[in-house]
Amino acid sequence: MTALALAPAPEPDCRRCHAPREEYFAWVRATFADAPASIKSRRYFYNRFLKHWPDLEDWLAEPLLVRLDLHGRLAHEPGKRIGPSHEAGPYLAYLSLVHGIRLDADYVLSRNFDSLFVPKVAAGLGLDLDLLDSLSARMLQLGYAPVSGRSVLTWTFTRLLLMRGDPDLRAIRLDDLTALAEEIKRYCARPEAGFVRASHVSNARRRMPMDQLAEIYQKACLTRLHGVHVLLFNIGQVPEPPFHGLKTAELWRTELTPPETPPALAAPVTRWLSGRLQTSDRAESVRHSRDAFRYFLRWLAQAHPDIDAMTQLERRHVEGFMAHLHEHTNARTGRPLTARSRYTYLSPLLQFFRETSQWGWNDVPGRPLLGRSDMPKLPSTLPRFIPRAELDRLMEAVEELQDPHQRAALLLLRWSGARRGEIARLTLDCLDAYPDGYPRLRIPVGKTYTERMVPLHPQAADALRELIDAAKAANAAARHDAWAQRPVRYVFMRRGKPMGRHFLYEDALEIACRKAGLVDGDGHPTVTPHRFRHTVRKFHRDSCRSMALV
């Protein structure tokens, strides 16, 4: 197999020069005064690097594989990398942090800089190790393991500082994190990325496909970067809360219609959905409407590609969409769409056509194209509470759950009757007691826009109290709550981030239901989180509690 073709390096943004020999040698002598061999080797590497590239701009313009001394190497070839460029890495780090020369992302993502945070080296480069130690302690407090938490910091900070050409850890902002995330994705899409990674990994992984090596590396890099974002948010250095993948907002809000939708079709839909986001409509409800419109617009592009404006829509087009929903098969289940699913797709269209015609918009049909009689008739079912025998078996399995957050979440579902989202958003001050000492839970504002106080069984109160103590010890930063319209500190936090509902409920119920034998013929749990609400309601009703509480 031949070596990979060489891709040119990115164009430099300004003229950059070498450090004077006397200055660098003096720094080496001062830094490695107790290690004569290190002084000798670093002088040699410096002289050899300058002999090959007297002009630093020439080295910066070289293809990436040349700057890594991999240009003559075969794919999957074992052995340590050596060469004038690779062994000058410590000198190039000195240039970046002392002379402010920014190294390109491709280079810093392609090699290791293990010695950067060694105490005697860090001091000479202007790095604040006391600050790094305090950040590592904060990572430990948030719930990261000691070794992995510090490695997340050192790997990410090294790349950020070398790309910035600035040793100040306190100067890192969200723009730096976002820029590095984009560079990671771009770098891992390069054809050389897998080849470079093969020179880093162990012999057992070196034979893996190169695109797979690049994919693994990208995931690891973005995970480390996200961890640093979580840390910087929790210490107040970056005010923007971390989203998965370093997005600055929920992605669906920025993509209300499919990108290929003609402007005259997309504009009124975007305007209508954006208006709903500014009202009291729940964001989740607007998202469902957005998903319905995206499905309709994609169907329209396939069935009627000649339509490029909303004003061209007629009743026959909507009738075709309704017929499509009747005939369509769910790719996941292999079954026709349920009446509930068809209702979910048609209801936003009905509301859109009705409201925009009433408001007199001139870029819409101007008349309702759907009526109430077009909506699927939904069956009215009775609440499905959990029978007592099944409930007892299930709660025994819940008590054996290993994760305290999952166990507490299901106990709160069992005894409070709160919704999943309300339990996930419980705050540190949610638990107190009645005058007689019986525990009382304050359920935050949610779907009904009402805060509530309910009695809580001591079993659930004890589990919740443990989580509150742990959350106070972690001291995660407050986050803005869209329902409460203020910053709050949540109970269900892990590593400085709110915990996902799927982990708290679906994953936990799957474990408990399997252990209790409450699964259907396909192996799926027969108990859903919402059934606990019906069970609590039945308990209070049978106990002759007040209807206000029920």
Side-chain angles (χ1 to χ4, degrees):
M1 184 179 294
T2 59
L4 268 66
L6 304 182
E11 289 294 325
D13 54 0
C14 61
R15 197 72 186 171
R16 291 157 286 191
C17 302
H18 283 293
R21 177 177 279 99
E22 295 77 10
E23 172 198 313
Y24 180 65
F25 283 10
W27 180 85
V28 169
R29 285 195 302 271
T31 303
F32 302 97
D34 58 343
S38 295
I39 295 175
K40 182 178 179 180
S41 63
R42 289 177 185 251
R43 285 177 173 177
Y44 171 73
F45 294 150
Y46 172 90
N47 289 329
R48 186 171 59 161
F49 184 74
L50 263 67
K51 181 179 179 180
H52 282 79
W53 293 282
D55 189 338
L56 183 61
E57 293 290 355
D58 292 340
W59 178 83
L60 291 165
E62 292 277 18
L64 177 63
L65 296 185
V66 173
R67 292 187 293 147
L68 298 172
D69 286 319
L70 292 176
H71 52 292
R73 194 184 184 106
L74 301 179
H76 307 298
E77 181 180 335
K80 184 179 179 181
R81 285 186 286 174
I82 56 174
S85 181
H86 176 75
E87 291 170 337
Y91 163 64
L92 292 166
Y94 170 87
L95 270 182
S96 176
L97 299 181
V98 176
H99 284 258
I101 293 178
R102 299 183 178 185
L103 299 179
D104 61 281
D106 290 343
Y107 179 72
V108 300
L109 291 171
S110 296
R111 60 162 298 146
N112 296 326
F113 296 89
D114 298 330
S115 64
L116 208 60
F117 285 99
V118 171
K120 60 183 179 182
V121 177
L125 296 176
L127 297 172
D128 189 344
L129 286 185
D130 291 336
L131 175 59
L132 181 66
D133 291 339
S134 68
L135 295 177
S136 298
R138 187 71 176 98
M139 291 284 278
L140 184 63
Q141 184 184 21
L142 289 173
Y144 284 82
V147 175
S148 62
R150 190 175 182 92
S151 67
V152 163
L153 296 185
T154 54
W155 186 94
T156 309
F157 284 150
T158 295
R159 274 75 192 169
L160 288 168
L161 298 180
L162 293 176
M163 288 174 60
R164 287 172 48 84
D166 180 3
D168 187 4
L169 295 174
R170 297 186 185 277
I172 296 172
R173 296 292 180 265
L174 178 65
D175 290 345
D176 301 309
L177 303 179
T178 305
L180 180 54
E182 293 302 320
E183 291 290 351
I184 289 170
K185 296 173 186 176
R186 184 191 59 79
Y187 169 78
C188 291
R190 292 184 61 152
E192 304 99 316
F195 177 78
V196 174
R197 292 309 304 162
S199 68
H200 282 272
V201 298
S202 63
N203 290 334
R205 294 175 56 195
R206 187 168 288 140
R207 291 291 174 182
M208 293 175 62
M210 291 187 180
D211 56 346
Q212 187 176 352
L213 288 173
E215 182 180 348
I216 294 173
Y217 185 58
Q218 175 176 316
K219 182 178 180 180
C221 292
L222 292 177
T223 299
R224 295 184 187 114
L225 191 55
H226 181 71
V228 169
H229 190 179
V230 171
L231 169 70
L232 297 183
F233 171 76
N234 278 280
I235 66 173
Q237 184 167 323
V238 172
E240 297 83 359
F243 288 88
H244 181 68
L246 288 174
K247 296 185 288 287
T248 56
E250 293 173 293
L251 186 60
W252 70 268
R253 294 175 182 262
T254 63
E255 296 181 356
L256 296 178
T257 58
E260 67 276 5
T261 305
L265 274 174
V269 176
T270 300
R271 178 184 173 191
W272 183 73
L273 292 173
S274 299
R276 290 188 61 189
L277 281 172
Q278 307 306 318
T279 65
S280 59
D281 282 358
R282 294 190 304 136
E284 195 64 24
S285 298
V286 180
R287 181 170 187 174
H288 290 323
S289 298
R290 171 256 194 190
D291 293 343
F293 265 103
R294 287 171 69 90
Y295 187 86
F296 171 68
L297 292 172
R298 287 198 172 103
W299 171 85
L300 192 65
Q302 293 181 354
H304 302 280
D306 55 312
I307 294 181
D308 58 6
M310 191 66 71
T311 53
Q312 297 173 338
L313 281 181
E314 299 177 0
R315 168 69 182 182
R316 60 187 177 89
H317 300 128
V318 177
E319 289 176 349
F321 182 60
M322 290 190 290
H324 164 76
L325 293 178
H326 272 282
E327 300 165 359
H328 183 68
T329 300
N330 188 313
R332 182 173 58 85
T333 64
R335 301 172 182 172
L337 295 179
T338 64
R340 172 64 66 182
S341 296
R342 288 186 280 117
Y343 188 96
T344 302
Y345 282 124
L346 291 174
S347 179
L349 300 181
L350 170 66
Q351 185 179 356
F352 170 80
F353 290 129
R354 184 183 68 240
E355 291 181 351
T356 55
S357 63
Q358 293 172 348
W359 298 336
W361 288 14
N362 58 8
D363 52 355
V364 296
R367 61 194 181 283
L369 301 182
L370 276 169
R372 281 291 173 189
S373 60
D374 295 315
M375 304 303 292
K377 301 300 185 287
L378 301 179
S380 180
T381 59
L382 293 174
R384 302 295 180 91
F385 62 87
I386 307 172
R388 185 72 196 191
E390 293 184 5
L391 182 62
D392 291 342
R393 286 158 51 197
L394 178 62
M395 297 316 296
E396 288 179 5
V398 168
E399 278 294 315
E400 298 177 5
L401 288 174
Q402 297 297 314
D403 188 275
H405 295 89
Q406 291 180 326
R407 187 168 63 88
L410 295 190
L411 287 173
L412 288 167
L413 281 177
R414 164 67 182 92
W415 293 111
S416 72
R419 296 177 177 87
R420 293 182 305 164
E422 294 167 340
I423 291 175
R425 294 173 41 248
L426 289 175
T427 58
L428 296 186
D429 58 353
C430 67
L431 186 63
D432 59 8
Y434 290 101
D436 62 357
Y438 197 84
R440 177 172 60 181
L441 179 69
R442 184 171 70 249
I443 301 175
V445 173
K447 185 176 181 179
T448 60
Y449 299 94
T450 304
E451 193 174 60
R452 322 191 289 285
M453 299 289 287
V454 298
L456 186 64
H457 193 280
Q459 180 190 25
D462 292 341
L464 178 59
R465 196 171 289 112
E466 292 180 9
L467 297 189
I468 292 175
D469 293 341
K472 288 180 178 179
N475 195 29
R479 288 173 174 248
H480 180 78
D481 188 286
W483 290 102
Q485 294 296 310
R486 60 184 176 85
V488 300
R489 296 177 63 195
Y490 295 124
V491 173
F492 287 94
M493 300 283 286
R494 174 168 289 170
R495 291 186 171 184
K497 299 177 290 184
M499 302 184 73
R501 299 182 190 181
H502 196 282
F503 172 79
L504 288 176
Y505 307 113
E506 278 75 11
D507 289 351
L509 268 179
E510 183 172 359
I511 296 172
C513 285
R514 290 186 184 281
K515 186 170 290 188
L518 300 176
V519 294
D520 60 18
D522 297 326
H524 299 142
T526 59
V527 177
T528 63
H530 193 73
R531 290 185 66 185
F532 284 99
R533 282 178 54 79
H534 299 310
T535 304
V536 173
R537 183 179 186 275
K538 180 179 183 299
F539 169 76
H540 288 302
R541 185 186 61 204
D542 294 348
S543 302
C544 300
R545 301 291 180 92
S546 70
M547 287 308 297
L549 178 60
V550 173

